[in-house]
Amino acid sequence: MTPIQDPFDHRLLEAECRSLWEDAALYRFDPDGEGEIFSVDTPPPYVSAAHLHVGHAMSYTQAEIIVRYHRMGGRRIFYPMGFDDNGLPTERYVETTHNLDKRSISRADFRARCLEETRRGAQQYRTLWTALGLSVDWSLSYSTIDAHCRRTAQKSFIELFEAGRIYRSEEPVLWDPTMETALAQADLETLERKTKLHDLAFQGPSGEPLIISTTRPELLCACVALYHHPDDPRYMHLTGQTAQTPLFGHGVTIRADRDVDPDFGTGLMMVCTFGDADDVARWKRDQLKTRIAVGPDGRMTALAGTWAGKTVLQARGEIIQALKGAGCHQGARKIRQRVAVAERTQAPVEWQMAPQWFLRMLDLKVALLARSDALRWQPEWMKVRLDRWIEGLRYDWNLSRQRYYGVPFPLWRCDDCGEVVLAPLDSLPVDPAEDPPPLEVCPRCSGGLTGETDVMDTWMTSSLTPEINANWVGSPGRAAGPERMTLRVQAFEIIRTWLFYTLLKGHLHHDRLPWEGVMISGWGLNEQGKKISKRDLAKYTDENGFNRYDPQQVIEKYGADALRHWAASARLGSDLRYHEKDVRAGRKLVMKLWNAARLASMQWEDFNPAAVRLAVGERPPEDRWMFAELSDALRAMHDGMANGDYAVGRERLDRFFWLTYCDDWLEIIKDRLWNPERYSPTSRLAAQASLWESIRMLLGAYAPYLPFVTEALYQRLYRSAEHTISIHITPPPQPLAATAAPAGMVDARAILKAIRAHRSMLQVSQSRAVERLTVDVSGASEETQAQLRALKETLQAMARTPVLIWAAAEQPVADTAVRFSLALAPS
C-alpha cells in the first residue's frame, strides 16, 4: 500500500489518473479482444466551443457513467467522439466571431477560416472532456468535414439517388434570410410573439371595399388571390370575380376554400407568394401566379416598387403609413402570433423559389413509427417526442444549402438537358465545384457538364454516425466498429434532427434500427430554471474572475468528480438546475471518501487481507448489518444502471455512505479497533477485514461516478494486492449473498442516536470515554429485549465503554420503549 497523503489535492490526483489511463491506453478499443461489445453513438458537438457550459458537462457525464459501468462489467467498449464542424452552425460562428460576410471573401478563404475554427474548437472540447474524465477512445475520433465523413455522406447520397429517393425540384422552400440558405423543417423553431393584425381595404368588383385582415401588409404586392369559405354569405356572390389590391392596384381573383376560417378577421383572407405554408399549399393546388416580394437577402424586390431594397420591417412600417394616407387602412389590433424562425439565427423564415435537392420521406411515416416502436427508449416517455415529430412532418427533406462550408453534392449536371452525372464511388470524396466531371460530355445529349455548387445539409453527414463509426465506406487505416451500435446517447432537443435523421438513414440503407436503444438526457438549467446560455457564461463572473457556469473553471476549483456528482443527481431525461452549492456537496463527498479510506489505511499496518478466514456471517452484528445495507445499495445501483438510471444508484450509494457507513458504522468500530481487549478475540481482525472489503466495494461502486478519486485510492490501497492496472477494468462489486441485517439493529441505532444527542446536550465530546452504559429494556417486548441483549458488544462499541449494565435508566430513546444512562469517565 501507498500512504494516502493529506491534504487532499484534486488537481494532482486528476493529472496522475489521466497519465495512468493514457499511458495504459486503457480506453482503446480492441477489435480482436474477447467479450461482448458495448458501442456508443454519441453526438458530435458543434465546435463553436465558446458556448460550452456546465449543462454540456452534465449530459455527456450522464452517458459516460453508463459507459464506465459496462466497461467494468467486462464489455469491450467502442466509444468514439466526433465533431460536427460543417454546415450552418460553423459558418454562422465564423461570420459572427470574425465579423465578416462570406460574400466579401473568396470561397477558399472562407472555408480556410472555418477549418481553422473547427480545429481550435475541437481541441477545446477534447481538453474539457479529458478534464471531465470521459473515457473516450480518441483514436476513433472524426470530424464531419474530414475525408472519411465526406466519403460516407456522398456514398449515402448516391445510393439514395439511385434508389429513386432523391429528386430535384424548383418550388417554394423555407429560407433563412440571414444565412441566405434554404432550410429543412427540422431547422425551424416556433416562437410566440405579439404583433398587429391590420384590416386593409381591397376594392371589390363593384367598387365596394373588401376588408381582409393580415399581419403582413408588406406582402400586398405579392398578393395573388383572395379566399373565403364557400358558405360565407358575405362573399358567396363574389366567387370568381376580381378585386384590386390597395396601393399596388393589380387584380386578384376571389376564390372559395373550405379551409378558410370565417371567424378569423373578416373571414376574407389574402394569399401571397409566399407568406406561409398555407399560401404555398393553395399556390400548388390552384396553380396561382407567382409574385415574389421578398428576396433571398430578406429585402423587398422590385415588385415592391417604392419600397424595393427595404428590409421587411422597414417596408411594413412605411406601407402601413401609405395605406393610412390612401384611406385603405381600416385599423389594427394586437394579437399573439406563432411564427417559424430559423433555429440558428432566430430570423423569421421566408419562402423562396429556388431549385433544391430533396429526399422523399413523407411516404415513410408508418414505417418510421414502427421503427420507433421497436427501439428501446430510456426513458420510455421520450418516445412520444419522436412519434409526434414523424406524425407532423409536412415536407420532404430539403438537402440543399446555399453555403460554402459543407459536404458537396457528388454530381455534375448537363448545361443543356439537366442530366445528372454522379461521381463514381471509388472517386469519393469529390468537390464538383473544383474537380472535373468523370465524363467529358453529357451521356444523353453531349452537352457540357457543370458541378453542383450547393452543399448538403449538415444532417446528411451527422445522420450517418453509425456508418461513420462502422467504416461503412472502407476508409483505409480506420478501425471499424459494429454495424449496429448498442446505444445512442443524446439530449432531447435533437430528437427531431439527429435521432430522426439517423433512424431514417438506417431504415433506408440497411432496413434496420441503427442502435438497440437510445438514452435521452435533459437540459442543464440555471438557478432560475432557464436553460443555461451564452449569456449566462458572459454575465456571471465574480470579483475573482470565477464563472460558475464554465465547466473548466468549476473543475479547477472543485474537481471533476464534484461536477460529475452533481450531473448524476438528475434522473435520466430530466432537467437539472445548477447550484454551485450542489457541486460543493459533491466535493465534500469526494473528500469524505478520501478521508474514510485514509482512516482505514491507518488500521492496516498489521493486516494481511490474504490471510483473513473470517466470513462475513461470523463477524460482529454491526459488520453484518453494514454489509447488508451496502448490499441493498449495490442492488439499487445495478438495477438503475441496467435501465440507464444512474441517479437511482448515486442517491442510494450516497445515503448509505453518509448515514450508515460514516455516521454510524465507522464510529461504532473505532472502539473495537482502538480497544480490542474489551471485545471478542477476533473483533479487531473483523473490523480490519470489514474495512478492507467495504472500502474496496465502495470504490468500485462509485468508480463510474467519481473516476478520479476512486482510481487514486485504488492505486494506493488495492492495486498491489489485485495486480490489475486500473479499477476501471475490474468487475463492479456485487451484493453479498444471503446477507441480512441482524435483528435489533434498528433499536441499536436509535440508542446510538440518543447517546450522541445526550452528549451534545451535555456539551461533551463524542470521543470522550464512558465508564458505564446502563440500558433499560424492561418496557420493551421480550423479542426486543432478546435482540438488544444479543447486541451487548455492539452497544458497548457505540457508547465506547467497557461496561454495560441492564438496569433501570433515565434517558428515553425516541420511538422505542428503551431508556439509557451514561456514566462519563473523568475528563
Side-chain angles (χ1 to χ4, degrees):
M1 286 186 294
T2 303
I4 300 176
Q5 66 266 32
D6 189 39
F8 174 80
D9 188 333
H10 70 266
R11 298 174 189 85
L12 291 177
L13 296 182
E14 288 170 6
E16 168 192 310
C17 293
R18 285 193 295 269
S19 294
L20 169 71
W21 300 334
E22 185 174 347
D23 292 345
L26 195 69
Y27 305 131
R28 182 70 64 91
F29 173 68
D30 181 3
D32 301 318
E34 296 181 355
E36 176 188 357
I37 295 176
F38 185 88
S39 53
V40 188
D41 187 15
T42 195
Y46 292 121
V47 296
S48 51
H51 73 287
L52 282 173
H53 53 69
V54 290
H56 296 98
M58 179 200 84
S59 60
Y60 279 87
T61 295
Q62 290 172 349
E64 202 267 344
I65 289 169
I66 300 296
V67 172
R68 283 190 178 273
Y69 173 80
H70 284 286
R71 182 183 288 108
M72 293 178 70
R75 295 170 179 84
R76 284 187 292 149
I77 302 298
F78 184 83
Y79 190 15
M81 179 69 73
F83 297 101
D84 197 352
D85 42 23
N86 81 77
L88 295 180
T90 301
E91 288 203 14
R92 179 68 173 163
Y93 178 71
V94 170
E95 287 176 336
T96 303
T97 302
H98 295 278
N99 192 27
L100 58 83
D101 183 338
K102 69 184 181 71
R103 293 168 297 191
S104 65
I105 62 176
S106 71
R107 183 182 180 110
D109 286 344
F110 186 78
R111 291 177 65 181
R113 295 280 187 96
C114 291
L115 285 167
E116 178 185 349
E117 287 297 334
T118 58
R119 283 191 291 267
R120 182 182 296 113
Q123 185 54 53
Q124 288 179 279
Y125 267 96
R126 180 168 178 173
T127 298
L128 173 59
W129 294 158
T130 303
L132 193 58
L134 298 195
S135 55
V136 168
D137 181 353
W138 290 105
S139 72
L140 302 173
S141 62
Y142 60 88
S143 156
T144 56
I145 202 65
D146 66 27
H148 172 65
C149 293
R150 295 200 311 274
R151 185 179 297 116
T152 305
Q154 290 181 341
K155 176 182 177 180
S156 171
F157 178 90
I158 291 171
E159 279 200 1
L160 296 174
F161 183 92
E162 292 178 335
R165 276 283 159 194
I166 290 178
Y167 64 95
R168 185 173 176 82
S169 176
E170 184 168 2
E171 58 184 73
V173 292
L174 296 160
W175 191 268
D176 181 345
T178 299
M179 297 293 285
E180 297 188 42
T181 184
L183 301 173
Q185 185 177 343
D187 298 318
L188 307 184
E189 290 181 349
T190 301
L191 297 183
E192 186 172 297
R193 66 181 183 182
K194 292 179 181 178
T195 190
K196 286 185 177 181
L197 188 66
H198 299 270
D199 291 337
L200 310 182
F202 282 61
Q203 183 178 325
S206 302
E208 74 277 24
L210 297 177
I211 310 302
I212 65 99
S213 299
T214 180
T215 60
R216 301 202 64 180
E218 72 276 8
L219 295 183
L220 277 171
C221 62
C223 182
V224 292
L226 296 182
Y227 279 83
H228 65 86
H229 192 278
D231 298 332
D232 191 331
R234 295 171 293 179
Y235 309 114
M236 292 168 59
H237 64 288
L238 298 176
T239 304
Q241 298 189 52
T242 300
Q244 301 295 315
T245 58
L247 297 185
F248 297 94
H250 63 275
V252 294
T253 303
I254 302 171
R255 296 170 174 267
D257 185 340
R258 290 196 173 276
D259 290 334
V260 175
D261 181 1
D263 296 323
F264 179 78
T266 64
L268 189 64
M269 64 173 289
M270 72 172 182
V271 168
C272 306
T273 52
F274 299 93
D276 57 25
D278 291 331
D279 286 355
V280 174
R282 290 184 173 91
W283 171 83
K284 284 185 177 181
R285 183 193 65 195
D286 298 337
Q287 297 184 330
L288 302 176
K289 293 180 180 179
T290 304
R291 298 174 62 88
I292 302 298
V294 181
D297 59 355
R299 295 181 179 271
M300 305 301 292
T301 67
L303 195 67
T306 304
W307 296 282
K310 301 280 188 180
T311 67
V312 166
L313 291 179
Q314 288 170 339
R316 182 179 303 169
E318 294 181 16
I319 287 174
I320 289 170
Q321 293 304 313
L323 287 165
K324 290 178 178 179
C328 299
H329 191 277
Q330 303 297 304
R333 54 198 177 278
K334 292 180 178 179
I335 64 169
R336 297 202 68 84
Q337 177 191 45
R338 291 172 63 82
V339 60
V341 299
E343 179 187 22
R344 297 297 168 187
T345 64
Q346 297 298 292
V349 297
E350 299 288 353
W351 292 83
Q352 289 292 308
M353 293 288 294
Q356 308 284 308
W357 291 101
F358 295 89
L359 191 154
R360 185 178 292 105
M361 64 181 187
L362 294 183
D363 61 318
L364 297 174
K365 287 187 179 183
V366 172
L368 294 175
L369 288 169
R371 296 291 185 195
S372 177
D373 290 342
L375 190 59
R376 186 182 73 249
W377 289 83
Q378 297 175 337
E380 176 65 29
W381 51 267
M382 281 290 181
K383 177 180 181 294
V384 69
R385 291 176 178 266
L386 177 63
D387 293 350
R388 287 177 178 172
W389 174 253
I390 294 172
E391 292 164 354
L393 287 171
R394 302 180 63 182
Y395 318 108
D396 284 336
W397 182 3
N398 183 349
L399 306 178
S400 303
R401 297 295 179 268
Q402 290 67 46
R403 302 297 296 180
Y404 287 170
Y405 193 59
V407 177
F409 287 95
L411 62 90
W412 293 258
R413 283 183 293 115
C414 177
D415 301 330
D416 297 330
C417 70
E419 176 77 1
V420 172
V421 174
L422 297 172
L425 288 176
D426 60 6
S427 71
L428 304 179
V430 297
D431 185 352
E434 299 176 2
D435 298 336
L439 303 175
E440 293 186 1
V441 294
C442 173
R444 177 191 290 180
C445 71
S446 299
L449 297 173
T450 299
E452 177 63 77
T453 56
D454 284 356
V455 296
M456 297 188 206
D457 177 9
T458 184
W459 293 110
M460 268 295 283
T461 310
S462 296
S463 62
L464 294 163
T465 48
E467 287 79 7
I468 290 168
N469 291 319
N471 198 6
W472 182 48
V473 294
S475 294
R478 182 163 186 89
E483 292 185 354
R484 188 168 87 147
M485 303 192 79
T486 309
L487 186 66
R488 152 66 65 88
V489 296
Q490 65 167 75
F492 71 86
E493 74 268 22
I494 52 175
I495 286 176
R496 66 191 173 105
T497 50
W498 194 41
L499 194 154
F500 168 72
Y501 285 138
T502 311
L503 193 79
L504 173 65
K505 287 291 189 73
H507 176 77
L508 292 176
H509 285 300
H510 313 295
D511 192 25
R512 65 165 184 254
L513 287 170
W515 341 269
E516 296 173 16
V518 292
M519 174 180 164
I520 310 295
S521 65
W523 273 346
L525 307 178
N526 63 20
E527 292 86 343
Q528 291 73 43
K530 296 181 179 180
K531 184 182 179 183
I532 301 172
S533 66
K534 290 183 187 179
R535 289 186 296 275
D536 291 316
L537 282 170
K539 183 178 179 181
Y540 294 103
T541 300
D542 64 22
E543 63 277 6
N544 299 316
F546 175 71
N547 189 309
R548 63 180 180 268
Y549 297 121
D550 183 334
Q552 287 280 21
Q553 294 191 45
V554 173
I555 291 171
E556 177 68 18
K557 183 175 182 179
Y558 296 111
D561 286 336
L563 184 56
R564 291 173 64 104
H565 185 268
W566 164 77
S569 61
R571 296 294 296 270
L572 186 60
S574 300
D575 296 339
L576 177 61
R577 292 197 186 198
Y578 179 79
H579 292 281
E580 194 177 346
K581 65 179 178 59
D582 294 332
V583 181
R584 288 197 295 269
R587 178 172 174 81
K588 287 180 180 177
L589 184 136
V590 169
M591 296 183 68
K592 189 72 171 179
L593 185 60
W594 182 264
N595 288 330
R598 184 167 174 267
L599 169 70
S601 68
M602 294 176 182
Q603 310 304 318
W604 293 334
E605 293 180 0
D606 60 343
F607 174 67
N608 179 10
V612 173
R613 299 293 182 268
L614 196 61
V616 169
E618 299 171 347
R619 299 180 196 178
E622 60 267 30
D623 295 1
R624 304 200 306 274
W625 160 73
M626 180 273 294
F627 279 114
E629 294 289 310
L630 176 53
S631 293
D632 284 346
L634 291 177
R635 276 187 282 270
M637 185 269 290
H638 285 296
D639 290 346
M641 291 292 199
N643 297 311
D645 201 344
Y646 47 80
V648 170
R650 200 222 74 168
E651 188 276 333
R652 187 66 181 83
L653 286 171
D654 284 2
R655 186 150 39 93
F656 166 80
F657 179 66
W658 281 112
L659 302 179
T660 301
Y661 196 76
C662 295
D663 286 357
D664 289 352
W665 185 71
L666 285 181
E667 293 303 314
I668 294 172
I669 67 166
K670 283 179 180 178
D671 202 56
R672 286 166 49 201
L673 290 167
W674 298 339
N675 300 291
E677 68 279 357
R678 298 178 181 176
Y679 305 97
S680 61
T682 60
S683 63
R684 187 168 188 274
L685 177 62
Q688 289 175 309
S690 296
L691 270 174
W692 175 265
E693 294 158 13
S694 61
I695 290 289
R696 178 63 181 87
M697 293 169 77
L698 279 168
L699 294 183
Y702 270 122
Y705 302 93
L706 314 174
F708 291 101
V709 67
T710 53
E711 181 72 275
L713 289 170
Y714 176 84
Q715 296 297 321
R716 285 157 175 77
L717 301 178
Y718 295 97
R719 179 175 173 178
S720 59
E722 297 185 11
H723 308 294
T724 302
I725 195 170
S726 169
I727 192 173
H728 296 295
I729 53 173
T730 64
Q734 299 298 317
L736 299 182
T739 304
M745 281 303 299
V746 172
D747 290 306
R749 289 184 76 190
I751 295 171
L752 172 61
K753 184 177 179 180
I755 291 172
R756 285 177 179 159
H758 190 63
R759 284 177 180 267
S760 297
M761 183 189 69
L762 298 175
Q763 297 184 332
V764 172
S765 168
Q766 298 291 338
S767 61
R768 183 173 168 182
V770 173
E771 283 189 348
R772 181 175 65 256
L773 168 67
T774 302
V775 180
D776 184 356
V777 296
S778 60
S781 67
E782 291 185 4
E783 181 182 12
T784 298
Q785 291 186 38
Q787 290 172 350
L788 288 175
R789 289 180 186 277
L791 296 174
K792 179 181 179 182
E793 286 193 351
T794 300
L795 294 172
Q796 286 179 254
M798 287 177 172
R800 296 183 183 171
T801 180
V803 178
L804 185 151
I805 299 175
W806 306 100
E810 301 172 358
Q811 301 298 327
V813 175
D815 300 324
T816 73
V818 180
R819 306 180 76 84
F820 76 96
S821 296
L822 293 179
L824 297 173
S827 58

